[in-house]
Amino acid sequence: MSKVRKPPDVAATHELVRIDERALKQALAALQHGPIRFRRNDVIACEGDAADYVFLVASGVVRSCKTFDNGGRNVVAFYLSGDLFGFGDQKCALSIEACTDAMVLFIKRAGLMSLAAQENHVARFLLATATNELRRAQDHAILMSQNAKRRVIGFLTDWSMRLGETRQISLPMPYQDIADHLGLTIETVSRTLTKLERSGAIARSSRPRSLILRNRTNA
Amino acid sequence: MSKVRKPPDVAATHELVRIDERALKQALAALQHGPIRFRRNDVIACEGDAADYVFLVASGVVRSCKTFDNGGRNVVAFYLSGDLFGFGDQKCALSIEACTDAMVLFIKRAGLMSLAAQENHVARFLLATATNELRRAQDHAILMSQNAKRRVIGFLTDWSMRLGETRQISLPMPYQDIADHLGLTIETVSRTLTKLERSGAIARSSRPRSLILRNRTNA
DNA sequence: CGGCAATTTGAAGGCAGTCAATTAAAGTGG
DNA sequence: CCACTTTAATTGACTGCCTTCAAATTGCCG
């Protein structure tokens, strides 16, 4: 049905024993539900919902975001194919939404947790996953203390690493999502990209929703 | 020797089975080293060091921070008595320093990990700890997209929650650390606190390095 | 081609940064 | 305990970056 590829960063950046992916998938088979198809901007889980399920992105890009009273919004993280997330809280602190058309696999959280209690490699996999996401969140927090130019460049490089695309990278999510992720306005994001283009750091790709990283030293 | 109290948030906010603290400490006894006493601004671990040890704060306040090429600095997180951290990376991505005089217990990371591989409740404890820190990092990233006033208020409320002090809270770390944590200058932090004092949201305590939260609705 | 959404560009204003000086607090030695 | 030094915090004036508001342009899908 859906090819769930293992996120490269989890295995690559942690020396925790790499678990047998097949074994995990087999154990998860009884717990999983879906994958379900969502369309761009569909709400996958609502802020405040009971977090009965953990999410595994099968395709597309998913965002977790917090909405403020004043109507503002903040995109806490993007998740893409292979990313497992949402096992942190009993209640969904953030709403989960589809940035693009996406396929999401639902895994019963209670079942996954009891599986982790029995199978130690599952617990270690979850630990590695959580640790990896923690580092990303901390890096992001650091990025948020920089100016607009560095934030945009930092996001682009981070995103290219996650995609594994070093030259031409695709940005399937709308600029508004990137702006809300970086704590900037969409105008500032647009202006910053224009400046980066003029300075030669990036180039607009012929393909839509993608651009080319030129020389990252020019950052 | 040193009273290591369990961080209240780990047990309080996660339904993961609470492990027997005594059992954990017993198992850790063979792995631990210290506690060692550090003075204010002492470097506990350097950025780039091999992360052979995991840290458990026994007393005082510890910061993990990243230094930039331009001399700037960013305080990623504060850790206080009972906080266990640093098991995420093989190499220390951040330098660990003492905000105040502090006692820190060192735990061999490899040993802790192999212990986690054998004892499932250890793995689950680490998972709960990592998950808890992840949520804090995400909350912090959200905070960083707000203006100065909200950042300061958010930090004060978060800090009061972690301390368990709802009215009078102590701020043992220098303002410069708070500023670097919030991505602000020390001048802005000072000015914001002054404004909050004038608006009645906070009051300066008679005791040094502490202040009083008045009405958080007035935020 | 027409309509909507997303992006781009411009002009003006506000908030936080920078630079500088003063005040307060903490540590040190007599 | 007091004088002195050093560090930390406060306050002010000015600059600059990002936001806000507004309009124009592009791209997409019917």
Side-chain angles (χ1 to χ4, degrees), chain A residues 79-111:
Chain A
Y79 300 100
L80 42 83
S81 181
D83 285 343
L84 179 75
F85 66 100
F87 50 89
D89 302 294
Q90 319 175 50
K91 296 206 172 175
C92 235
L94 307 166
S95 68
I96 312 299
E97 303 170 3
C99 283
T100 68
D101 292 355
M103 302 282 286
V104 179
L105 192 68
F106 291 72
I107 302 169
K108 272 203 182 300
R109 204 171 68 91

Side-chain angles (χ1 to χ4, degrees), chain B residues 1 14 17 27 30 33 41 47 63 75 80 86-87 99 106 124 159 164 167 170 172 178 181 188 191-192 194-195 211:
Chain B
M1 184 178 289
H14 289 77
V17 178
H33 176 222
N41 290 327
E47 199 174 330
R63 64 177 178 243
V75 174
L80 45 83
F87 50 90
C99 283
F106 291 72
R124 278 192 290 168
W159 188 247
R167 298 243 330 132
S170 57
I178 298 176
H181 183 55
T188 299
R191 270 187 266 263
T192 304
T194 301
K195 271 188 247 177
L211 42 82

Side-chain angles (χ1 to χ4, degrees), chain B residues 147-148 185 187-188 191:
Chain B
N147 64 19
T185 61
E187 294 96 331
T188 299
R191 270 187 266 263

Side-chain angles (χ1 to χ4, degrees), chain A residues 2-202:
Chain A
S2 67
K3 287 207 301 179
V4 179
R5 68 171 175 83
K6 195 172 181 182
D9 44 4
V10 171
T13 59
H14 290 75
E15 86 283 24
L16 291 170
V17 178
R18 308 179 186 192
I19 60 164
D20 184 349
E21 186 178 354
R22 181 185 298 176
L24 177 64
K25 285 172 68 174
Q26 201 167 4
L28 289 177
L31 302 171
Q32 70 189 29
H33 177 222
I36 299 180
R37 184 174 191 280
F38 293 93
R39 291 208 173 72
R40 157 178 266 238
N41 290 327
D42 278 352
V43 175
I44 298 170
C46 202
E47 200 173 328
D49 279 359
D52 295 331
Y53 289 95
V54 170
F55 311 102
L56 175 60
V57 181
S59 70
V61 179
V62 172
R63 63 178 179 244
S64 71
C65 46
K66 175 166 182 62
T67 313
F68 300 111
D69 303 331
N70 52 325
R73 193 190 61 160
N74 193 294
V75 173
V76 175
F78 293 110
Y79 300 100
L80 42 83
S81 181
D83 285 343
L84 179 75
F85 66 100
F87 50 89
D89 302 294
Q90 319 175 50
K91 296 206 172 175
C92 235
L94 307 166
S95 68
I96 312 299
E97 303 170 3
C99 283
T100 68
D101 292 355
M103 302 282 286
V104 179
L105 192 68
F106 291 72
I107 302 169
K108 272 203 182 300
R109 204 171 68 91
L112 180 63
M113 285 311 173
S114 58
L115 181 65
Q118 293 166 3
E119 296 293 330
N120 197 280
H121 59 272
V122 173
R124 279 191 290 167
F125 174 75
L126 292 179
L127 176 58
T129 304
T131 295
N132 190 47
E133 191 170 356
L134 170 59
R135 187 168 36 76
R136 280 223 311 271
Q138 288 182 335
D139 286 345
H140 184 238
I142 292 174
L143 196 66
M144 293 290 282
S145 68
Q146 312 278 339
N147 64 20
K149 184 180 177 183
R150 291 179 192 230
R151 282 191 226 185
V152 171
I153 291 177
F155 170 75
L156 292 179
T157 52
D158 284 353
W159 188 247
S160 74
M161 300 290 265
R162 289 185 68 187
L163 290 177
E165 305 171 350
T166 53
R167 300 239 333 130
Q168 176 153 358
I169 64 175
S170 58
L171 297 174
M173 74 289 282
Y175 282 15
Q176 185 64 60
D177 285 354
I178 297 176
D180 290 340
H181 183 55
L182 297 178
L184 301 171
T185 60
I186 186 176
E187 294 95 332
T188 299
V189 171
S190 177
R191 272 186 265 263
T192 304
L193 285 174
T194 302
K195 272 188 244 175
L196 289 176
E197 185 186 10
R198 278 201 253 270
S199 73
I202 64 170

